[in-house]
Amino acid sequence: MTSMLVLAMALSLPDPPIPSNMKEMECAIHELAFQYGSRYPDKIPVMNPNSLSDALNLWNCSGTVPQKNAKPAKDLISPPSDARNSWFVDTKRGSDAIGKGSIDSPWRSVTHALAHLPTMSDRRTLFLREGTYYLNETISLTAAHSKLTISAYISDKGTEKVTLSGAGGVVTGWNCSNLLPDCKVYEAKVDLPKRGENLAPEVVNQLFANGKRMIRAKYPNADPAVTEGHCFSKPQFANEKCNWLTSTGGNTAQDPGRLVGSVALGPNRGNSPTVGCGKECNSTCATFSFNIYDPPAGHPVYNKPLPGMGWNNNSLFSRFPSPFGRPADMGVAKGDLPRQWKKPSTGIVHTFHSLLWGGWMYRIKDRQDLNITLAYGGYQEARGAQMKTNHYYVENLIEELDVPSEWFFDEDTDTVYLYPNSTEGGFPEVTIPTLDTLISVKDAHDVVIQGLTITQTRATFMEQYEVPSGGDWSIHRGAAVYIEDSHRINVTGCEFIETGGNAVILSNNVTFSHIESNEFYRTGDSGIVSLGMTNGINGMAATYPMNNTIAFNHMHEYGVYGKQTSCYFQSLTANSTVFGNICYNGPRAGFNYNDGFGGAYQMSQNLLFNHVRETADHGAFNSWDRQPYLTRSGVDDGFPDSVKLGLKGSSIVKAQSHITQNFLINGYHAVWPIDHDDGSQFYNDTSNVMVWGGCKNFLGHSKSCDHNLIVYPGIPNRSTNARRCITDGNGVFANQYFKDNQCITGDGIFYSWDHCSINDLDTEVYQTMDNQLFSPNAEFGQTCGAEITFAKWQSLGQDRGSTIANQPSIQQIISLSKEKLSFNP
């Protein structure tokens, strides 16, 4: 994220003109995106046939178009190839006391079934019959459950609807409450777990009515899962705005010293966010302003040429002196928060990094009028700063329970309060999750989980987070489905609906596993997480995910709570394949790669759009590589083992990664569809269609943006900061290519370069060639410290073999897009 600050100071370009036929062009592009996203009806699941067309705003074009032949996830699974060894669970008519596990005499609970499955070397299948399974404990799969398939039952009539809920059961005994007049609010006594000592995160933090997530009593009133409850950082349509409040932020006017101080470590915070730092982090973090791990003694990682390459490897952490510093309090303007709170310490503040690089949540310690003191939190994002004005809400305060769909749990009296939408037809079925994880797979192999709906888990944003590597993100190592140190695990044909945190995580040594054909909807945090672990710079141990495939998933409306979240996040991962997914409607980057680690990433044929809606300075795809690692997954680096901690077979140079034939549409506060941030290296970005934005390089080396179609990058109504076909703010690191691309602009400005001077234009740093450039009347409006003609530009060694021509028509743009994607609908 340092790139935005550096470029803003050194580079200023005028906004490119918005195309005069913008609506027609956008409609044509979105209609093609709709077709592209609908091309695998037997592989990509769809709950709502209108969701994709609505997200693409086709209602503003030819009208909402439902996806033809759309199927829910459960209807995409197949019966196990060998179902001879099958057992059955039925939550409605089964019995753990007398059941035998047969189809006619099933067991009632999954945990009982797992404890009574016979041991055998052949594959076993546990079929779950239709119904909702309310879980009081996590389904735990270990080595003893290897070669097991857990599947929704598949009959001649189709796959039965099977739901796993993290709520232990249904809350009953509701009565009118005197909290509000006219019996608007109801209350019930419950026996639920308490939070523990000293303001530790509460156990009860989600509530569902008739299967729909309700809203913890909050101010201002809005559902954080829908448009009206989002704080859009840059609105794209009329109903998207963030003008709830007049002011918020660190209390700089009254106590500037407190703003830059870190919040003290609090109960249950553990050492968050410092897990993974490699050394103890304190409030100033002054000892590692530019790196996380010290390199091995004598190791040429920093500022020395790589053998045979002639340019520098690089590692940096932060240009901020205190990357983990957080405000200790906040102030609000007069008129905000009009109600007084009897017990402020129940409350949670949701707010944002001052540069909108992510969201923070804090436990409230106390409130005095317009000043709020924070107990702990802010570790849900890994960069220090102040708070963003006008971007916050407070929740879990009983005085704020004032509109339908809101609820509050009073731990002191064991009472839950609910303001239902309606009681016509009876009181809604209310469930309260108490589990973070519904299925855990550890030390197992060849496990299949398929055809299930997984929902109603606790929100985890106040639990422990870690900073796994040099990127800006911190992450909670947990999920509704938790897979660790296991091999050949397949999760397919499942729906993850309104989980409280991450939906699926691959933790540490997970290999040759597949997360395929699932749908993720309104997850509290990220959809899929791949997260390893190292011993400082030493990544040689088998403690990271490798050779896994993320394919044909439908992921949307993610990041309901966490705002530094993605459809897919990876860190300390190697050889991942991300293919054929659809990802849209989220607060930050759609896919985020927090480091380069061992490389060999394959990301292809994905559709990503509507990202960076609540944050800034990001794109549909984002990568970092500030911290190099010694791994066994890279390529020969030419260094002797003696300067690499004596680690035989290790390499500091990662394998090349490829981003190919993706359909990436900029929008909202995004800057670049492909954002290779601080230090990213060894990437080929090839044959992608990038709309309203282009490629970005900042530091690093060995990157190629080639054979892409880039359509009107940087236009102000769909992008930010006027970045063009390629942004390069590095000016130092070589072997970064922009070649064989087709880029269309409205003003003939094609490059956003820092340090651009016609008297000193390094052709090893800036390497452009064989491009097809398009602008009105084939004009070349590029400046490089001075106005320059295209002929002069080429004489400086740039765009050798390139051409410049008049802008193509909409139909030509669509034809070029199909050609790049190898897509012929």
Side-chain angles (χ1 to χ4, degrees):
M1 292 298 100
T2 57
S3 55
M4 179 64 76
L5 299 179
V6 173
L7 288 173
M9 291 186 291
L11 174 68
S12 179
L13 289 174
D15 283 334
I18 298 170
S20 59
N21 56 353
M22 175 71 186
K23 181 177 179 181
E24 292 79 10
M25 184 184 303
E26 186 169 54
C27 284
I29 291 169
H30 283 200
E31 286 166 359
L32 180 63
F34 176 78
Q35 293 174 337
Y36 194 69
S38 303
R39 70 197 187 281
Y40 294 122
D42 293 323
K43 294 182 179 180
I44 298 178
V46 177
M47 284 188 289
N48 177 1
N50 294 326
S51 60
L52 181 58
S53 62
D54 284 347
L56 287 165
N57 303 306
L58 293 187
W59 48 265
N60 198 35
C61 302
S62 55
T64 297
V65 182
Q67 288 180 268
K68 296 179 180 179
N69 304 315
K71 299 176 183 178
K74 68 181 182 65
D75 291 342
L76 299 181
I77 68 172
S78 302
S81 57
D82 185 355
R84 291 173 299 172
N85 302 313
S86 299
W87 286 264
F88 297 83
V89 180
D90 192 327
T91 189
K92 296 179 180 178
R93 64 182 188 88
S95 171
D96 288 342
I98 62 174
K100 299 179 180 179
S102 66
I103 192 169
D104 296 320
S105 180
W107 293 310
R108 187 174 187 276
S109 69
V110 179
T111 51
H112 179 88
L114 293 175
H116 290 81
L117 283 176
T119 301
M120 57 178 60
S121 59
D122 295 335
R123 174 161 289 282
R124 298 164 291 174
T125 300
L126 185 63
F127 283 114
L128 308 188
R129 299 303 303 269
E130 185 172 9
T132 298
Y133 292 72
Y134 295 107
L135 304 181
N136 290 302
E137 58 182 310
T138 298
I139 297 170
S140 180
L141 306 179
T142 63
H145 302 105
S146 295
K147 294 188 177 181
L148 174 67
T149 295
I150 298 180
S151 176
Y153 182 63
I154 307 169
S155 70
D156 294 339
K157 298 179 180 179
T159 304
E160 295 183 352
K161 177 72 172 178
V162 175
T163 300
L164 301 185
S165 166
V170 177
V171 178
T172 59
W174 292 94
N175 297 294
C176 289
S177 171
N178 61 7
L179 199 63
L180 290 178
D182 303 324
C183 202
K184 293 177 180 176
V185 174
Y186 288 76
E187 62 182 55
K189 291 288 185 179
V190 292
D191 183 13
L192 293 170
K194 303 296 193 303
R195 74 173 73 188
E197 300 294 327
N198 299 323
L199 300 180
E202 66 279 356
V203 174
V204 177
N205 56 23
Q206 291 219 99
L207 181 145
F208 291 77
N210 292 335
K212 183 180 184 301
R213 177 161 47 201
M214 297 289 101
I215 306 162
R216 273 210 294 191
K218 68 185 288 287
Y219 178 88
N221 292 322
D223 186 347
V226 301
T227 296
E228 291 74 16
H230 292 161
C231 198
F232 286 91
S233 54
K234 182 179 179 180
Q236 193 158 293
F237 296 96
N239 64 335
E240 299 170 342
K241 54 188 177 181
C242 180
N243 59 356
W244 307 330
L245 307 165
T246 54
S247 178
T248 185
N251 222 346
T252 53
Q254 297 178 357
D255 193 353
R258 297 176 67 184
L259 178 67
V260 297
S262 291
V263 177
L265 294 177
N268 216 42
R269 183 186 180 192
N271 53 356
S272 294
T274 63
V275 174
C277 282
K279 59 181 71 175
E280 184 179 359
C281 301
N282 53 41
S283 60
T284 62
C285 297
T287 58
F288 61 106
S289 296
F290 292 94
N291 66 286
I292 301 178
Y293 305 125
D294 290 330
H299 191 280
V301 169
Y302 300 93
N303 301 319
K304 293 183 180 180
L306 292 169
M309 296 184 182
W311 62 86
N312 295 340
N313 201 350
N314 61 294
S315 178
L316 68 158
F317 182 69
S318 175
R319 295 181 187 274
F320 286 123
S322 181
F324 296 136
R326 295 294 185 273
D329 65 358
M330 61 178 283
V332 300
K334 189 174 182 180
D336 289 353
L337 302 177
R339 298 184 180 94
Q340 295 299 310
W341 307 328
K342 183 178 179 181
K343 191 176 180 181
S345 60
T346 66
I348 301 288
V349 173
H350 295 246
T351 185
F352 282 80
H353 184 287
S354 59
L355 295 177
L356 293 176
W357 291 350
W360 299 335
M361 298 81 157
Y362 291 93
R363 167 71 59 192
I364 294 175
K365 183 177 182 180
D366 197 10
R367 174 187 173 186
Q368 298 294 327
D369 194 19
L370 300 178
N371 297 308
I372 295 174
T373 306
L374 306 172
Y376 64 96
Y379 44 75
Q380 302 86 355
E381 180 270 347
R383 294 291 290 275
Q386 301 178 7
M387 289 183 182
K388 179 66 176 179
T389 301
N390 290 346
H391 287 58
Y392 84 98
Y393 67 86
V394 295
E395 67 166 351
N396 203 39
L397 294 149
I398 192 169
E399 290 84 1
E400 306 299 346
L401 200 166
D402 59 346
V403 294
S405 296
E406 289 193 337
W407 67 278
F408 178 81
F409 175 52
D410 189 334
E411 288 189 329
D412 295 337
T413 63
D414 293 317
T415 304
V416 60
Y417 298 89
L418 174 65
Y419 193 148
N421 286 317
S422 173
T423 57
E424 292 184 11
F427 200 81
E429 182 179 272
V430 175
T431 52
I432 299 177
T434 57
L435 296 179
D436 298 1
T437 299
L438 303 191
I439 300 177
S440 170
V441 184
K442 293 185 178 182
D443 302 312
H445 63 86
D446 299 288
V447 171
V448 177
I449 300 166
Q450 66 172 23
L452 309 178
T453 295
I454 294 171
T455 186
Q456 299 185 15
T457 57
R458 290 181 62 252
T460 55
F461 57 77
M462 294 305 294
E463 302 300 323
Q464 186 174 16
Y465 277 63
E466 59 189 271
V467 180
S469 59
D472 276 7
W473 290 36
S474 60
I475 190 78
H476 172 63
R477 193 181 290 265
V481 173
Y482 188 97
I483 303 169
E484 184 170 271
D485 296 331
S486 298
H487 313 286
R488 298 180 297 280
I489 310 300
N490 288 359
V491 178
T492 184
C494 294
E495 293 176 348
F496 294 84
I497 302 175
E498 296 188 323
T499 59
N502 304 315
V504 177
I505 190 168
L506 309 178
S507 175
N508 294 344
N509 186 25
V510 178
T511 66
F512 298 102
S513 296
H514 294 252
I515 312 298
E516 293 188 1
S517 297
N518 305 287
E519 185 158 6
F520 300 81
Y521 176 63
R522 289 186 177 177
T523 56
D525 292 323
S526 293
I528 303 170
V529 171
S530 178
L531 180 60
M533 183 179 294
T534 68
N535 180 18
I537 197 173
N538 182 355
M540 293 288 286
T543 56
Y544 57 90
M546 187 170 76
N547 295 321
N548 299 308
T549 299
I550 312 298
F552 304 119
N553 297 289
H554 185 185
M555 301 175 273
H556 52 114
E557 279 74 35
Y558 63 90
V560 171
Y561 300 129
K563 301 307 178 183
Q564 196 173 69
T565 48
S566 283
C567 289
Y568 173 66
F569 168 91
Q570 72 172 39
S571 179
L572 305 178
T573 292
N575 298 71
S576 60
T577 297
V578 181
F579 178 86
N581 301 281
I582 304 174
C583 168
Y584 56 89
N585 288 358
R588 200 100 177 96
F591 295 167
N592 183 72
Y593 291 15
N594 209 54
D595 49 73
F597 197 60
Y601 309 136
Q602 307 293 326
M603 173 186 153
S604 62
Q605 297 189 34
N606 302 282
L607 171 62
L608 284 76
F609 65 96
N610 288 0
H611 298 293
V612 201
R613 300 197 304 174
E614 299 178 76
T615 56
D617 191 12
H618 240 345
F621 170 84
N622 187 83
S623 68
W624 280 286
D625 200 8
R626 294 171 175 141
Q627 174 64 56
Y629 292 90
L630 291 165
T631 78
R632 61 178 72 253
S633 297
V635 297
D636 185 7
D637 60 10
F639 293 127
D641 294 337
S642 60
V643 299
K644 295 185 291 188
L645 299 178
L647 296 172
K648 187 175 182 179
S650 68
S651 174
I652 201 73
V653 177
K654 56 195 59 64
Q656 198 79 13
S657 295
H658 298 270
I659 299 176
T660 308
Q661 289 192 315
N662 299 281
F663 201 150
L664 309 172
I665 305 177
N666 241 17
Y668 294 93
H669 221 163
V671 185
W672 310 271
I674 296 180
D675 180 356
H676 287 308
D677 219 330
D678 304 10
S680 296
Q681 49 194 318
F682 300 109
Y683 277 96
N684 280 86
D685 307 331
T686 305
S687 295
N688 301 284
V689 173
M690 291 181 272
V691 183
W692 320 135
C695 292
K696 180 259 190 101
N697 296 321
F698 185 67
L699 304 177
H701 52 75
S702 302
K703 293 189 290 291
S704 176
C705 179
D706 63 273
H707 297 87
N708 302 289
L709 173 64
I710 302 172
V711 181
Y712 290 102
I715 61 172
N717 59 338
R718 294 294 182 268
S719 186
T720 300
N721 294 325
R723 301 295 182 246
R724 307 308 171 90
C725 313
I726 178 73
T727 298
D728 197 318
N730 105 46
V732 177
F733 298 102
N735 281 34
Q736 301 192 107
Y737 300 93
F738 185 79
K739 64 187 297 288
D740 292 294
N741 296 288
Q742 297 162 314
C743 186
I744 308 163
T745 73
D747 58 3
I749 300 176
F750 300 97
Y751 300 102
S752 299
W753 285 354
D754 197 6
H755 314 297
C756 189
S757 170
I758 59 175
N759 299 318
D760 183 22
L761 192 58
D762 192 331
T763 55
E764 291 188 4
V765 172
Y766 303 108
Q767 302 197 44
T768 62
M769 62 199 75
D770 300 324
N771 298 295
Q772 296 179 48
L773 307 176
F774 300 92
S775 66
N777 302 313
E779 295 176 354
F780 188 71
Q782 190 69 40
T783 59
C784 190
E787 293 185 2
I788 189 171
T789 65
F790 189 54
K792 176 65 175 176
W793 179 254
Q794 291 184 309
S795 73
L796 295 174
Q798 299 303 318
D799 274 309
R800 301 182 303 276
S802 298
T803 61
I804 187 166
N806 197 16
Q807 299 158 301
S809 67
I810 293 175
Q811 283 307 113
Q812 288 172 320
I813 291 172
I814 298 303
S815 295
L816 290 171
S817 298
K818 294 176 181 178
E819 180 181 340
K820 291 298 178 188
L821 300 170
S822 300
F823 176 57
N824 295 299

